Amino acid sequence: MAEFDAAAALAPVGPGYRFSRHHTFDEAQVRAFALAAGDENPLHHDAAFAQGTRFGGLIASATHTTSLLMGLTGSHFGRKGKVLGMNFSVDLLRPVRASETVLIEWRVTSMAAHSKGGCVLELQGAIKSADDRTSVLAQGTVLFTPAS
């Protein structure tokens, strides 16, 4: 469930603006998401198989982690106005274990007016483990129109 960050919701959006939330994975969720995404890789479904790999257990699929990153942008900016995702790219650096609690965070790196209204926000994001190691790096571009 998404946590509501009241301070971020009231802050003006611009370069340096940050927003984040925590997410806890569990094995049932990892299996269900991978199945819904059509990802039948046993690293996401078969605990015995995954235990025998270098990961030592089930890991979340890339579609799961990246969906949470992109979903946070829509949820967060959707509370502040209208938002449309334009582009996202990710680098998968480390696996996210099926029992991990992570921090999902974004920072606005630039903002420019859009010719048809609103503004284009460039974002840098990450998923970090409890020990502050980065598992996923992301960049994104969204079209944002603040509520009047």
Side-chain angles (χ1 to χ4, degrees):
M1 186 55 122
E3 299 169 11
F4 182 71
D5 183 346
L10 297 174
V13 174
Y17 177 83
R18 295 176 178 270
F19 57 101
S20 63
R21 75 175 188 96
H22 287 91
H23 181 82
T24 300
F25 292 87
D26 64 50
E27 289 188 5
Q29 176 194 120
V30 164
R31 287 183 179 106
F33 193 98
L35 185 63
D39 186 342
E40 298 177 6
N41 184 334
L43 286 171
H44 314 310
H45 299 278
D46 185 337
F49 171 85
Q51 185 67 37
T53 70
R54 64 188 172 121
F55 304 116
L58 293 179
I59 60 172
S61 68
T63 53
H64 196 165
T65 57
T66 57
S67 291
L68 290 168
L69 268 163
M70 292 188 303
L72 179 56
T73 64
S75 295
H76 181 79
F77 287 118
R79 290 186 200 102
K80 296 176 79 64
K82 297 176 188 167
V83 63
L84 177 66
M86 298 172 67
N87 183 46
F88 289 91
S89 63
V90 296
D91 292 316
L92 307 169
L93 305 177
R94 297 180 57 245
V96 175
R97 305 214 183 284
S99 58
E100 233 180 306
T101 297
V102 298
L103 175 67
I104 304 167
E105 60 183 356
W106 285 100
R107 178 175 55 89
V108 175
T109 58
S110 71
M111 181 170 127
H114 190 273
S115 62
K116 295 183 181 178
C119 55
V120 175
L121 302 176
E122 297 289 335
L123 309 166
Q124 281 192 321
I127 293 181
K128 294 184 177 184
S129 59
D131 64 0
D132 204 37
R133 293 180 64 191
T134 301
S135 299
V136 181
L137 277 177
Q139 294 188 5
T141 307
V142 298
L143 175 60
F144 175 62
T145 306
S148 12

